[in-house]
Amino acid sequence: MAGATASGEQGWSSRTAFILAAVGAAVGLGNIWRFPTLAGENGGGAFVLVYIAFVVLLGLPLVLSEILLGRTGGSDAIGSMRNVAEQSGRSKRWGALGALQITAGFLILSFYSVVAGWVINYVFISGGDFFGALFAGDPFSVAFNGETQDQITGRMGDLFADPMRLIILHVLFMAATVGIVASGVHDGIEKAAKWLMPAFFVLLIIITIYGAFTGNFAEAVAFMFTPDFSKITPIVLNEALGQALFSLSLAAGGLLTYGAYVSKDVNLAPTAGLIALADTSVAILAGLMIFPIVFAVGLDPAGGPALIFQTLPVAFNVMPGGALVGMVFFILIFFAALTSSISLLEGPTAWTMDRFGWGRKKAALIVGMVAWLIGVACALGYNMWSDVRLLGFWNIFAETDILDTLDGFTGKIMLPLGALFVAIFVGWRADANVVKAQSGLSGGMFILWRFLVAWAAPVAVSLVLIFGLLPGLLGE
Ligand code: PHE
């Protein structure tokens, strides 16, 4: 039987459907864009190691916790938190945790759509190259034929300098997201994930293998897996924690909301394991796909948010059939981004439906429009408003443009806070019997999970927050 929420929402049609949707939510720009960017900026191996430790020790237990809370609560993120708190004899004010999460997801959606717009830009460019070559009788042409490497990497700067283009691309992506969420859990979200995710995995593997043979694979492996422990500062820990949470779609309302659509007979623990495994594998594969190219063409791994948009086109420029592969690959990144952005929009949409009694279409459209407006500010932050520093008084945001500030604020602060309170709630406040029954865990596994949620997560997240953020705030 499929799960259904208080608002009468139809749930997932099967466990597989839920897994695909949840993996779809997890795998996205976080893996292919954010992970390589942060790993590159933070020195590679040490960051990757800490990131994986956070995924295994905190992320995975929290994925189970959030899906469990959603399914037990059976409503939107705020409603579910209130319900579970009430069932456990706790204050309904725990609903505020749902509100924190939904707000984080909403803010992430606003800049996520802008970055996804960059992906669409490259779908168009490589698509134009491919069809141009096709009509000229050369379907296996490389992408960016005849351009120098500098010209290819320079295209990203051209895009950033063009506010109109950034905004139009951002409209396209947000419209696609709204369209799917408006079509419903079953006919929209689930269908999208079912088709897009498997195709994505196949292409990712093909391109990684290609990179392994043609790029500087050895240097990339050394960069990603040789930890230099002197690079692990509190702020790197904070970045890595934020990235683990971001990538697993934790603390942003997505899993709480999707959890409510899961039927009672699904065993949650192995499902959570699968989501974490798939997500982490894609991040590592994305690194192994991007860094060999970075080193082969002599780009700086610390190149920032533009990094993947400069490396991949370079690969498609030398790869036989690069125009075709490039086009298909950017389409697939677009799909991966889409299955994530719909989970970002679903959280606030479900809440708006329950709260104001709006229909799904209206709720998705209005929430999407407001998020889009915030995204416009992010897009302008690359050109007209490039001097704006939203949180300039705070050390860690002193140098960041609008998009980076939103990204950093949600990732470094809101997600860790949301995760901290999920851990405290599931570890200490929720009815232990309900939690145990819902988790599907028993014996030593249950004790281990409970220890990680009740002790390890709160302590680690608190320490990371205190040491990562305070020095910056105090201006040290
Ligand atoms: N996990 C998604 C990604 O890695 C982003 C996301 C965050 C989706 C939070 C939903 C909730 O791209």
Side-chain angles (χ1 to χ4, degrees):
M1 199 201 82
T5 71
S7 52
E9 188 64 59
Q10 273 289 316
W12 311 114
S13 54
S14 64
R15 173 171 182 260
T16 316
F18 167 60
I19 290 176
L20 281 171
V23 170
V27 172
L29 296 175
N31 311 62
I32 299 165
W33 165 68
R34 208 174 184 273
F35 174 75
T37 303
L38 289 178
E41 286 177 338
N42 292 302
F47 178 88
V48 174
L49 188 78
V50 181
Y51 164 77
I52 292 178
F54 278 136
V55 167
V56 175
L57 297 176
L58 305 186
L60 173 56
L62 289 176
V63 169
L64 175 56
S65 304
E66 288 202 356
I67 302 176
L68 178 158
L69 286 176
R71 183 168 73 174
T72 313
S75 178
D76 62 83
I78 297 177
S80 286
M81 282 309 304
R82 291 166 65 95
N83 290 346
V84 184
E86 200 178 23
Q87 287 167 31
S88 306
R90 306 293 175 186
S91 162
K92 281 190 170 191
R93 268 179 298 184
W94 276 100
L97 173 54
L100 171 71
Q101 290 214 7
I102 288 185
T103 311
F106 174 76
L107 291 175
I108 292 174
L109 173 65
S110 67
F111 72 80
Y112 202 89
S113 169
V114 176
V115 178
W118 307 347
V119 176
I120 299 180
N121 187 55
Y122 281 89
V123 171
F124 286 152
I125 297 180
S126 46
D129 279 2
F130 170 66
F131 285 107
L134 182 67
F135 291 128
D138 179 16
F140 297 109
S141 153
V142 299
F144 307 97
N145 204 354
E147 281 185 46
T148 65
Q149 234 158 61
D150 282 348
Q151 281 173 319
I152 297 171
T153 52
R155 280 177 177 252
M156 203 53 198
D158 298 344
L159 174 63
F160 282 167
D162 187 347
M164 239 7 242
R165 190 171 176 97
L166 287 171
I167 290 174
I168 292 172
L169 295 164
H170 168 46
V171 171
L172 293 178
F173 187 79
M174 192 63 90
T177 306
V178 168
I180 295 175
V181 170
S183 309
V185 173
H186 197 267
D187 296 328
I189 301 177
E190 183 176 318
K191 271 211 183 103
K194 225 191 224 140
W195 290 100
L196 304 181
M197 288 322 291
F200 169 80
F201 275 101
V202 173
L203 256 118
L204 180 66
I205 289 168
I206 293 178
I207 295 185
T208 309
I209 293 174
Y210 175 81
F213 282 110
T214 54
N216 197 337
F217 199 65
E219 196 175 337
V221 170
F223 178 74
M224 278 183 69
F225 299 111
T226 317
D228 169 0
F229 289 102
S230 68
K231 295 244 165 71
I232 303 187
T233 60
I235 198 73
V236 170
L237 288 178
N238 192 337
E239 293 269 25
L241 172 66
Q243 173 59 19
L245 301 174
F246 184 98
S247 195
L248 292 168
S249 305
L250 281 164
L255 285 180
L256 274 180
T257 310
Y258 277 16
Y261 309 143
V262 179
S263 78
K264 298 287 175 214
D265 50 18
V266 171
N267 188 354
L268 295 184
T271 310
L274 221 90
I275 296 170
L277 181 70
D279 186 63
T280 311
S281 316
V282 174
I284 301 291
L285 274 181
L288 290 176
M289 170 178 82
I290 287 152
F291 287 116
I293 305 169
V294 171
F295 292 117
V297 304
L299 282 167
D300 179 5
L307 183 71
I308 73 152
F309 299 97
Q310 299 182 314
T311 51
L312 293 175
V314 167
F316 300 136
N317 176 245
V318 289
M319 176 172 185
L324 173 62
V325 178
M327 176 183 72
V328 175
F329 190 67
F330 280 115
I331 291 176
L332 287 170
I333 301 184
F334 166 74
F335 289 160
L338 198 54
T339 52
S340 297
S341 65
I342 54 186
S343 77
L344 288 163
L345 179 59
E346 176 65 14
T349 299
W351 174 73
T352 315
M353 288 162 65
D354 290 346
R355 175 72 179 74
F356 301 112
W358 291 351
R360 175 169 276 281
K361 288 194 172 60
K362 178 174 171 189
L365 185 66
I366 292 180
V367 175
M369 273 169 32
V370 181
W372 177 80
L373 262 181
I374 302 176
V376 168
C378 295
L380 296 181
Y382 282 96
N383 34 71
M384 288 155 64
W385 292 352
S386 59
D387 294 333
V388 175
R389 297 286 172 268
L390 284 183
L391 300 172
F393 60 90
W394 194 336
N395 256 8
I396 48 175
F397 299 115
E399 304 286 317
T400 56
D401 54 53
I402 300 176
L403 190 148
D404 265 2
T405 305
L406 265 185
D407 182 19
F409 186 77
T410 46
K412 289 200 191 82
I413 300 166
M414 295 185 82
L415 299 186
L417 278 179
L420 174 65
F421 287 111
V422 167
I424 292 176
F425 184 78
V426 173
W428 299 97
R429 311 308 281 164
D431 184 325
N433 295 324
V434 173
V435 166
K436 180 160 188 185
Q438 288 279 335
S439 73
L441 291 171
S442 55
M445 285 307 281
F446 177 72
I447 295 173
L448 175 64
W449 175 65
R450 184 137 178 118
F451 167 76
L452 291 172
V453 172
W455 291 98
V459 171
V461 174
S462 304
L463 287 176
V464 167
L465 279 175
I466 292 170
F467 288 102
L469 297 177
L470 264 194
L473 256 187
L474 302 177
E476 279 164 28

